[in-house]
Amino acid sequence: MSPKAAGRTIGLILAAQVALAPLVYLRMLGPVRGSGFLESAAANAPQVRLALLLSLLYGAMTMAVAVVAWPVLRRQSELAALAFFTVTLVGVIALLIDDMGRYELLHLSQQYGAAGSSQELVRALGVAARDSWRMAHFTYETLAHVTIFTFNAVMFRGRLIPRWLAGAGMAGTLLAAGTTSMPLVGLRFVPQAIFPMIVVQLTLIIWLLARGFADRQIARSSELSGD
């Protein structure tokens, strides 16, 4: 696969993720996201289970980006390619842990509905489980932004896309990673801080779909490395 085709393929995968993410994480998983999940999740169990399966598909798409990008990045630097692949893998593992936490919340909601006089005990377990899931969730979100930062960094280094676009991507993801890491240290999550990254990511997708990765810069980098 040529660098241009690889870039366009990654653009398609990222576009599919952008289309899938709001449906899965904002709507379908809504019943297990809020503080009232004990009352709402069990009634929406089929929807939540389907959303968790779609979340696995989302994670597979993320790994697909790393696989498609591997030969292109490897021509630039084996270390850079390995770093991006490793960070992506760690992020996908964190996503699986996040999904396991959501499934546990669904299970507790089902137990809560059948608990009868023991509902207060299940509620106490639910509060603890939700706190644990939130830590796993924001850990995953932070790692996801680190993955995007790494992707932009290797594209910046290899001039695979315009450096202004890769630089904006790095800046946006640093801001996003900063705000998603705040709950891990007891500070408030500020969702508005993610918006710049979203704008840059959409711009990146449009660029990749239209232009792919730059062939000329890759050829030049290969000559310099002696390949």
Side-chain angles (χ1 to χ4, degrees), residues 9-55:
T9 301
I10 289 173
L12 284 172
I13 296 171
L14 295 178
Q17 286 188 312
V18 166
L20 185 63
L23 172 65
V24 173
Y25 297 109
L26 297 182
R27 182 166 183 174
M28 296 181 70
L29 287 175
V32 293
R33 190 176 65 247
S35 57
F37 76 94
L38 285 173
E39 291 80 11
S40 63
N44 297 278
Q47 171 184 310
V48 172
R49 290 194 182 98
L50 176 58
L52 291 174
L53 289 175
L54 291 174
S55 182

Side-chain angles (χ1 to χ4, degrees), residues 125-186:
L125 292 173
V127 171
R130 185 171 184 271
D131 287 343
S132 177
W133 165 74
R134 276 175 55 83
M135 293 299 100
H137 175 67
F138 284 111
T139 298
Y140 157 66
E141 290 285 346
T142 302
L143 288 171
H145 297 147
V146 170
T147 300
I148 300 173
F149 174 87
T150 305
F151 185 50
N152 280 279
V154 296
M155 288 191 297
F156 181 92
R157 179 185 182 278
R159 298 180 182 269
L160 299 177
I161 61 173
R163 279 192 158 180
W164 63 264
L165 181 54
M170 287 189 286
T173 49
L174 279 178
L175 181 61
T179 192
T180 53
S181 65
M182 285 181 180
L184 301 177
V185 293

